[in-house]
Amino acid sequence: MKMKLLQTICRQLRSSKGFSVESAALVAFSTSSYSCGRKKKVNPYEEVDQEKYSNLVQSVLSSRGVSHTPGSVEEDALLCGPVSKHNPPKQGEDRRVPQNWFPIFNPERSDKPNASDPSVPLKIPLQRNVIPSVTRVLQQTMTKQQIFWLERWKQRMILELGEDGFKEYNSNIFLQGKRFHEALESILSPQEALKERDENLLKSGYIESVQHILKDVSGVRALESAVQHETLNYIGLLDCVAEYQGKLCVIDWKTSEKPKPFIQSTFDNPLQVVAYMGAMNHDTNYSFQVQCGLIVVAYKDGSPAHPHFMDAELCSRYWAKWLLRLEEYTEKKKNQNIQKPE
């Protein structure tokens, strides 16, 4: 009976002037007749103030979630330099394997401390030379998708702040990252404990953000120390080598304006960690080796930082990706040298 009544109503509406009902709508009426007598469930999303959150929705849809700074806010002045423009490419799974394999771990070394290890954390200065750095390799081998979104973010920021404002913004966040690292070095270094610490550095939101992480950090072996891989020919400056929850790790401290609860959100940071790890494990300046990594993403508002622990298996997987990027960089530089006129 209800079915016939609904069909009669639909015929009357269809015949009325200025009103039309699509055939798909008629199907929807007929197939839902079974539940007409039931109490309709309230959708909680319908109670949301749509107007209040419309700007947020538009921002997410228009920016694809990249209206924040890319990667860490302190890393090398935010990947400065000219960036090519590309259409957003499709990102497929990289099934390539490195042509020149080299192990990340050194079988001749142990990750256990020995009596000859220095009691004071190592701090080897970085020697600037023609050998490429880890950061430079990663910058020069970004995917087309990374380049596209980085350029889009840059243009959005310039549109909002202007050219001069964007430069000032970069300088400020670079300075914030530098101070964050200085404060961490002051906290983790036993030598700094004997000196008068700058309390202003220790009061930042970033330091508050990592307090729960620092409670699990002990046995610091290196701070702001240079590494060099003589075989693979690259250098780097790692943040920290210490035990985290009892496991020796290369620790990379990052800052972000956007929460990054998953390691996939840290972009190339895992590659940076394993590059430092592989270099340190074969650097003669170090008598020990590391098999784990830790990326700590701190937040300016003091909210709890996200730790991303990398075990030996995960580090090995990212190491293969790093070797591919290193090979790509080497090939690119080789082609550039060939094209240069004599």
Side-chain angles (χ1 to χ4, degrees), residues 286-325:
Y286 302 86
S287 60
F288 54 88
Q289 80 166 331
V290 180
Q291 297 185 352
C292 299
L294 179 70
I295 300 171
V296 180
V297 185
Y299 306 108
K300 188 176 182 179
D301 63 359
S303 57
H306 283 114
H308 301 292
F309 178 75
M310 302 165 61
D311 60 16
E313 181 182 356
L314 185 58
C315 287
S316 296
R317 298 207 318 251
Y318 276 112
W319 174 251
K321 295 177 182 293
W322 161 249
L323 291 179
L324 287 172
R325 296 284 285 271

Side-chain angles (χ1 to χ4, degrees), residues 72 75-76 134-135 138 234 237-239 250 252 254 266 268-278 295 318 322:
S72 65
E75 184 177 326
D76 290 309
V134 172
T135 305
L138 292 176
Y234 68 85
L237 187 69
L238 56 79
D239 290 345
V250 169
D252 206 25
K254 298 297 182 184
T266 61
D268 285 339
N269 294 159
L271 302 184
Q272 191 175 14
V273 169
V274 298
Y276 295 153
M277 186 185 304
I295 300 171
Y318 276 112
W322 161 249

Side-chain angles (χ1 to χ4, degrees), residues 104-105 110-113 121-122 188 213 216-225 227 238-253 272-278 280-281 286 288-296 307-312 314-315:
I104 182 174
F105 305 123
S110 171
D111 58 349
K112 304 295 182 183
L122 291 170
L188 296 171
I213 305 293
D216 291 326
V217 175
S218 61
V220 181
R221 306 277 193 92
L223 286 171
E224 297 293 330
S225 192
V227 293
L238 56 79
D239 290 345
C240 177
V241 176
E243 291 185 8
Y244 173 71
Q245 297 182 347
K247 296 184 178 180
L248 192 62
C249 299
V250 169
I251 303 177
D252 206 25
W253 307 100
Q272 191 175 14
V273 169
V274 298
Y276 295 153
M277 186 185 304
M280 195 204 70
N281 287 343
Y286 302 86
F288 54 88
Q289 80 166 331
V290 180
Q291 297 185 352
C292 299
L294 179 70
I295 300 171
V296 180
H308 301 292
F309 178 75
M310 302 165 61
D311 60 16
L314 185 58
C315 287

